[in-house]
Amino acid sequence: EAQVTQNPRYLITVTGKKLTVTCSQNMNHEYMSWYRQDPGLGLRQIYYSMNVEVTDKGDVPEGYKVSRKEKRNFPLILESPSPNQTSLYFCASSFQGGELFFGEGSRLTVL
Amino acid sequence: AQSVTQLDSQVPVFEEAPVELRCNYSSSVSVYLFWYVQYPNQGLQLLLKYLSGSTLVKGINGFEAEFNKSQTSFHLRKPSVHISDTAEYFCAVGGNTGKLIFGQGTTLQVKP
């Protein structure tokens, strides 16, 4: 089954404790992206990747890192999480110019 | 730069009534337009998309949207809604790079 898989789905952590949210897709998509969803703000792009080893900042990249060492994986790294990064995070992938396929979301709470 | 404005944050409607969710976009280049739906505690699912061709686009679950270039709009419509259509709906604009810009979302509340 074609899908985008994120882990963990739910996470509660404390300020400053590094964490990684994994994302994997099995559709051989070149393009992958991370969004955060906050009430009243819709989805805002954090980082995106056009292909392996090619990443770029989206609209709200501060406090996040990404890597794209393999085509299927695009992890999101929070080196030192802060409470303002409490949010619902979505990973998505697509062929360039095509529709985005979304993961189920990862709800992160930073205390 | 591209941007999307969804004109209503919440739309309450009775079951079996028609509904229109409004979306306006801004772009200096050719656009691709999308509507996504998000059911509670789930990810986003594509409802329909406009890439080129006919301006009236039909999607899943009986939804349709019309691309209006002169008014820079892409409103979503359904002639008769069901309780199960209660969800949040997002309009998005993109180009050929893959990046999508999303609107703020519209919550559709279908009442019995």
Side-chain angles (χ1 to χ4, degrees):
Chain A
E1 180 189 353
Q3 58 186 4
V4 178
T5 303
Q6 299 177 224
N7 279 296
R9 294 286 315 280
Y10 301 91
L11 179 63
I12 300 174
T13 189
V14 295
T15 299
K17 186 175 181 182
K18 180 180 178 179
L19 68 91
T20 299
V21 186
T22 64
C23 174
S24 180
Q25 52 95 3
N26 62 1
M27 294 168 278
N28 203 35
H29 287 160
E30 300 97 3
Y31 181 88
M32 297 186 75
S33 181
W34 277 101
Y35 288 86
R36 60 178 289 174
Q37 183 181 10
D38 302 289
L41 297 177
L43 281 85
R44 295 178 293 168
Q45 191 181 53
I46 303 169
Y47 268 94
Y48 65 97
S49 169
M50 303 287 277
N51 216 321
V52 176
E53 301 292 2
V54 181
T55 63
D56 208 347
K57 296 177 181 179
D59 301 312
V60 288
E62 294 78 19
Y64 305 95
K65 286 175 58 177
V66 293
S67 68
R68 187 92 182 272
K69 294 185 172 63
E70 304 167 283
K71 197 171 188 178
R72 62 183 293 126
N73 295 325
F74 191 46
L76 179 69
I77 303 157
L78 286 72
E79 293 271 4
S80 183
S82 62
N84 65 12
Q85 293 178 296
T86 292
S87 188
L88 179 58
Y89 291 87
F90 287 101
C91 181
S93 71
S94 73
F95 293 116
Q96 289 187 28
E99 71 176 89
L100 275 177
F101 289 82
F102 284 83
E104 299 261 305
S106 296
R107 187 169 292 281
L108 171 64
T109 301
V110 183
L111 302 175
Chain B
Q2 296 177 320
S3 66
V4 177
T5 302
Q6 291 183 239
L7 297 163
D8 307 290
S9 59
Q10 293 189 354
V11 174
V13 63
F14 286 106
E15 195 172 18
E16 297 184 6
V19 71
E20 178 180 80
L21 306 184
R22 298 180 295 167
C23 172
N24 286 102
Y25 69 92
S26 172
S27 178
S28 57
V29 298
S30 297
V31 296
Y32 301 152
L33 292 159
F34 304 82
W35 275 100
Y36 283 84
V37 60
Q38 184 181 29
Y39 299 106
N41 300 315
Q42 294 187 26
L44 280 74
Q45 177 184 0
L46 182 71
L47 269 180
L48 49 81
K49 60 186 175 185
Y50 171 79
L51 303 181
S52 66
S54 173
T55 57
L56 182 63
V57 181
K58 294 190 183 299
I60 62 171
N61 300 340
F63 284 93
E64 63 180 33
E66 185 155 18
F67 170 59
N68 188 318
K69 188 174 182 179
S70 63
Q71 297 189 4
T72 60
S73 68
F74 191 56
H75 300 335
L76 181 70
R77 302 185 184 101
K78 186 170 181 177
S80 176
V81 295
H82 302 129
I83 294 286
S84 58
D85 292 322
T86 295
E88 189 155 20
Y89 292 79
F90 291 95
C91 181
V93 62
N96 58 6
T97 61
K99 178 175 181 176
L100 291 189
I101 305 293
F102 285 85
Q104 300 91 329
T106 298
T107 300
L108 176 63
Q109 301 162 323
V110 181
K111 304 177 182 180

